[in-house]
Amino acid sequence: MLGAMHTDPLTSETIPQAIIDAANAPAEATVDGESVKSHSIKDLIEADRYLASKNATASPRKSIRISGLAMGDAPGRRGC
């Protein structure tokens, strides 16, 4: 085994651990003629940001809400 290389599929749940693993492991390793190369930390962080933004817009509850307020309804304002 070549150290703590991350082998799980990269999802929004596994990317944070993959970033930690990549920071603690060598970028490349070769043992008995077999080489392994990990994802770059930069690529993992970009993937994490992408999935976070995708998940944030997927739920209607997390999206931006726009509402209007009529002047007569404003608190502290008396009707004209």
Side-chain angles (χ1 to χ4, degrees):
M1 183 88 156
L2 295 174
M5 296 289 181
H6 191 80
T7 58
D8 294 335
L10 295 177
T11 65
S12 57
E13 291 82 27
T14 61
I15 287 179
Q17 185 60 48
I19 294 170
I20 293 168
D21 292 347
N24 290 318
E28 295 182 44
T30 302
V31 175
D32 295 331
E34 292 196 31
S35 297
V36 175
K37 184 175 181 180
S38 65
H39 293 282
S40 73
I41 294 174
K42 180 182 176 186
D43 290 344
L44 292 171
I45 291 171
E46 288 177 9
D48 188 39
R49 286 182 183 154
Y50 168 76
L51 289 174
S53 68
K54 185 177 175 182
N55 290 339
T57 59
S59 173
R61 291 184 174 199
K62 295 179 182 177
S63 62
I64 298 174
R65 292 184 186 181
I66 299 174
S67 61
L69 183 64
M71 289 301 286
D73 295 338
R77 177 153 171 94
R78 295 178 190 226
C80 295

